[in-house]
Amino acid sequence: MKSILKHTTLALALLAALPSCEVDRLPETSISDQTFWQSENDLKSAANYLYTFLPGWSGDDVWSDDAFGLASNGISDGSRLAPATDGNYNNNYALIRAANNILEKAPRALAATSQTIVDRYSAEARFFRAWGYFNLVQRYGDVPLILKTLDDSSPELQAPASPRTQVVDQIYQDLDFAASKLPTPTALGTADFGRISNTAALAFKARVALFEGTRAKFHSYGEPNKHLKIAADAAKAVIDSKQHDLFTGAYFDLFQMAGEGRQNRENILVRQYGVSQTDRVATHAYYRGTLENGNMNPTKSLADSYLMKDGLPITKSPLYKAPVQSIDVFKDRDTRMGDTFMKRGDPMMTTKPIFDIANLVFNKTGFMFRKTANIDDWNTQASTIDRPVLRYAEVLLIFAEATYELNGSISDADLDLTINRLRQRGGVAKLTNAFATANGLTMRDELRRERRVELAQEGFRYWDLIRWKTAEIELPKPVLGNFYFKSEFTGATVNLTPDNYIMVQAASFRKFDPNKDYLWPLPINEIALNQSLKQNPGW
């Protein structure tokens, strides 16, 4: 568990001296000292620093129609302005510079170690460089492509942004190198669980390619089929590797300590926190500080997307009955809904051991998220539950979607290989082409629905709306919450729709400008520093 961060103190001393902003303008630091880069341990120490950039648990779903916090969100409702600085920009360039530094200096260790070892840690660095660039191109589109460390006299400091096609191609090159040089999960074993594997590189390549392929398709640019084929091929390579499988336990336990470690083959890459309060590398307070406190709450839109167990949506299924009490919302539904949403009878927190109904003072939608909910963690505010960063379920979803978007169809065999394995653990009837036709369902919509519910609360929804070009349709809609059960909800005054659902934010307060909002604004300070860097349209 602690092997990744065993030598991080040294790495941080050498690498973290790099400020998070203006990273491409920094002079060399003490990491260039010739006493470093002399052994495999030095390479591992330097690479360990890169892992600190893996995302932890966050409230990013409030950017989308899946969640709402204690107050409106500027990304979700279209009210934000171009910022002076942006950590999403600066921190990713800090990661890229640290990765470039390793790639330049790792060969110095050849005097004491092998090319295989140098290649392995260079592959980790290239994975993280790809990670940083994908975060950037996802948000900003064209960005400066910097593949070496710079100093104050480097001409690249005044270079214009590189086209997104060039950046994405570089991401693929880095991930191909990583996939060819990194060990398999089996070779990493328990001792090195948490380090980047070859399947992590392939799974991430599939994620990048699906994003770029569908974005190019629905925004009408570039070569969508090129990227969709890359996505399908990379996802299939992970499937065919037989290195991973779905978690054999309950879906809820995927996000508890029961889902930790090498024994859970669904985990391809996680952000590690530890195994106990006494054996930990870091902690988080995500459950108490984000979920229970109301900083991210599920919406009616997300709740309505969960199927009935007969495989039909609530608008079509004869099983669906209008709820009379709050627990009725979960009756005969995909069981993943009850694993993702708090429901009556669930363990909750020290001061309220059993959940009954959401507190509308905090949980503005009348719903509360449940993934990672743990009474002990609420009490200590020091959880060590790992954050899944790449998991096998996402790979299955990528293969299904890429296959459909590439061919305009998907076979029942491929549905069984992917979507139906996920539906099975939710207790939902199989999806077939005949079932979809007979019930007036659209296959694309059902594939997207499956992705939404399987990956709910994990930060995917906003980016899916962006790549599908549906943000302009979904985000301006009003934000609605749970049905208002008058006998259960107490202690708060709320606005209601005519049909008695909680009105959290009216459509009149929400907007999405398709001419500008599909890209994020570049930080104003970065444009001031580099006159060749142009602001994104509309900002």
Side-chain angles (χ1 to χ4, degrees):
M1 164 56 65
K2 293 189 289 186
S3 61
I4 290 179
L5 298 180
K6 184 177 180 182
H7 303 289
T8 302
T9 301
L10 175 59
L12 289 172
L14 296 169
L15 284 165
L18 308 176
S20 63
C21 60
E22 299 181 42
V23 67
D24 52 347
R25 297 173 174 269
L26 294 170
E28 292 300 317
T29 68
S30 59
I31 199 158
S32 63
D33 189 333
Q34 292 298 321
T35 62
F36 198 66
W37 310 105
Q38 300 298 312
S39 67
E40 179 179 356
N41 278 342
D42 288 350
L43 298 182
K44 180 181 281 191
S45 293
N48 286 347
Y49 174 62
L50 306 177
Y51 286 82
T52 65
F53 287 85
L54 286 174
W57 291 101
S58 72
D60 291 355
D61 277 306
V62 297
W63 301 345
S64 76
D65 58 344
D66 271 5
F68 194 89
L70 291 166
S72 61
N73 178 269
I75 296 173
S76 173
D77 68 16
S79 63
R80 64 177 164 166
L81 302 173
T85 61
D86 185 352
N88 292 293
Y89 188 90
N90 301 132
N91 292 343
N92 282 300
Y93 274 113
L95 171 59
I96 289 163
R97 188 183 195 281
N100 285 339
N101 208 34
I102 291 172
L103 291 169
E104 289 177 7
K105 294 169 183 173
R108 297 181 189 177
L110 282 172
T113 190
S114 66
Q115 185 68 51
T116 300
I117 296 299
V118 170
D119 285 347
R120 174 180 174 178
Y121 293 104
S122 296
E124 288 193 6
R126 291 186 72 162
F127 175 93
F128 280 104
R129 183 167 70 180
W131 186 273
Y133 271 119
F134 180 58
N135 288 338
L136 289 166
V137 81
Q138 225 184 4
R139 288 166 170 79
Y140 309 105
D142 301 349
V143 291
L145 181 61
I146 300 169
L147 303 177
K148 63 179 183 179
T149 55
L150 306 180
D151 58 33
D152 285 337
S153 63
S154 297
E156 291 87 350
L157 294 175
Q158 296 301 318
S162 299
R164 69 181 299 138
T165 53
Q166 185 180 349
V167 180
V168 171
D169 283 344
Q170 181 61 50
I171 291 171
Y172 292 155
Q173 290 176 38
D174 281 346
L175 293 174
D176 285 342
F177 181 90
S180 70
K181 301 297 183 182
L182 289 169
T184 65
T186 298
L188 287 173
T190 301
D192 272 340
F193 173 77
R195 298 204 81 87
I196 307 296
S197 65
N198 68 329
T199 54
L202 289 167
F204 184 50
K205 184 181 180 184
R207 178 189 289 181
V208 173
L210 181 71
F211 181 88
E212 194 59 20
T214 50
R215 194 182 192 284
K217 180 174 182 174
F218 296 111
H219 291 254
S220 303
Y221 67 87
E223 301 176 89
N225 285 354
K226 165 190 165 181
H227 301 291
L228 290 169
K229 187 175 189 311
I230 290 172
D233 289 348
K236 192 60 162 58
V238 177
I239 294 169
D240 291 344
S241 75
K242 307 297 185 185
Q243 291 286 315
H244 300 282
D245 204 349
L246 295 180
F247 183 51
T248 56
Y251 180 76
F252 176 74
D253 285 341
L254 259 174
F255 312 97
Q256 297 291 314
M257 296 303 291
E260 301 273 280
R262 172 76 179 129
Q263 55 85 25
N264 178 6
R265 295 177 62 210
E266 184 162 343
N267 285 334
I268 299 176
L269 179 63
V270 301
R271 170 68 183 258
Q272 291 184 305
Y273 287 92
V275 296
S276 69
Q277 291 297 310
T278 56
D279 185 11
R280 67 192 195 188
V281 294
T283 63
H284 62 84
Y286 173 67
Y287 174 43
R288 185 166 178 176
T290 299
L291 306 186
E292 186 265 320
N293 280 359
N295 285 302
M296 187 174 77
N297 311 292
T299 61
K300 180 179 185 292
S301 177
L302 174 60
D304 288 352
S305 66
Y306 286 85
L307 294 168
M308 305 301 291
K309 66 183 182 182
D310 61 5
L312 294 173
I314 60 174
T315 54
K316 290 178 177 285
S317 174
L319 296 176
Y320 180 74
K321 301 291 186 294
V324 176
Q325 52 186 338
S326 61
I327 194 66
D328 294 344
V329 175
F330 303 91
K331 186 177 181 181
D332 292 328
R333 301 291 284 275
D334 183 332
T335 60
R336 289 171 296 179
M337 183 180 187
D339 290 333
T340 305
F341 287 56
M342 275 283 185
K343 58 190 181 301
R344 186 193 298 171
D346 286 335
M348 188 182 178
M349 59 188 185
T350 305
T351 56
K352 187 178 182 180
I354 304 298
F355 182 84
D356 50 13
I357 194 75
N359 184 342
L360 289 174
V361 174
F362 300 107
N363 309 119
K364 301 293 186 182
T365 65
F367 289 120
M368 178 177 162
F369 274 124
R370 187 177 178 224
K371 284 181 181 177
T372 77
N374 184 286
I375 290 180
D376 291 339
D377 288 353
W378 184 91
N379 189 41
T380 64
Q381 300 187 68
S383 176
T384 58
I385 294 175
D386 292 346
R387 160 77 190 270
V389 176
L390 292 164
R391 58 185 179 96
Y392 189 61
E394 183 194 351
V395 172
L396 299 182
L397 290 162
I398 290 171
F399 181 73
E401 185 180 349
T403 297
Y404 178 82
E405 295 299 347
L406 193 58
N407 303 320
S409 63
I410 182 170
S411 69
D412 286 350
D414 282 339
L415 288 172
D416 285 343
L417 179 68
T418 57
I419 299 303
N420 288 328
R421 297 202 62 205
L422 303 178
R423 287 192 171 201
Q424 182 179 19
R425 71 174 170 190
V428 177
K430 287 174 58 172
L431 175 65
T432 66
N433 283 279
F435 180 86
T437 300
N439 290 284
L441 302 174
T442 304
M443 185 59 71
R444 175 182 285 155
D445 290 344
E446 293 311 299
L447 296 178
R448 291 180 177 183
R449 178 201 305 278
E450 189 62 34
R451 179 178 175 89
R452 185 179 191 180
V453 302
E454 173 65 33
L455 301 177
Q457 200 191 318
E458 297 178 56
F460 288 92
R461 177 66 175 173
Y462 171 80
W463 296 113
D464 289 342
L465 297 178
I466 293 296
R467 64 189 178 88
W468 294 331
K469 206 176 186 294
T470 55
E472 62 201 73
I473 299 169
E474 302 300 335
L475 293 184
K477 291 179 179 178
V479 178
L480 304 180
N482 201 355
F483 188 85
Y484 185 73
F485 301 97
K486 187 174 182 180
S487 64
E488 297 181 65
F489 283 119
T490 58
T493 301
V494 295
N495 294 319
L496 300 176
T497 66
D499 50 354
N500 215 42
Y501 285 92
I502 298 168
M503 170 69 78
V504 185
Q505 189 178 32
S508 58
F509 292 99
R510 300 178 64 80
K511 62 182 179 178
F512 185 93
D513 184 350
N515 295 314
K516 73 180 182 71
D517 287 332
Y518 280 110
L519 290 174
W520 285 25
L522 290 164
I524 294 171
N525 286 358
E526 297 300 323
I527 296 172
L529 289 167
N530 178 359
Q531 305 274 317
S532 299
L533 197 60
K534 304 303 180 186
Q535 183 59 281
N536 279 323
W539 291 101

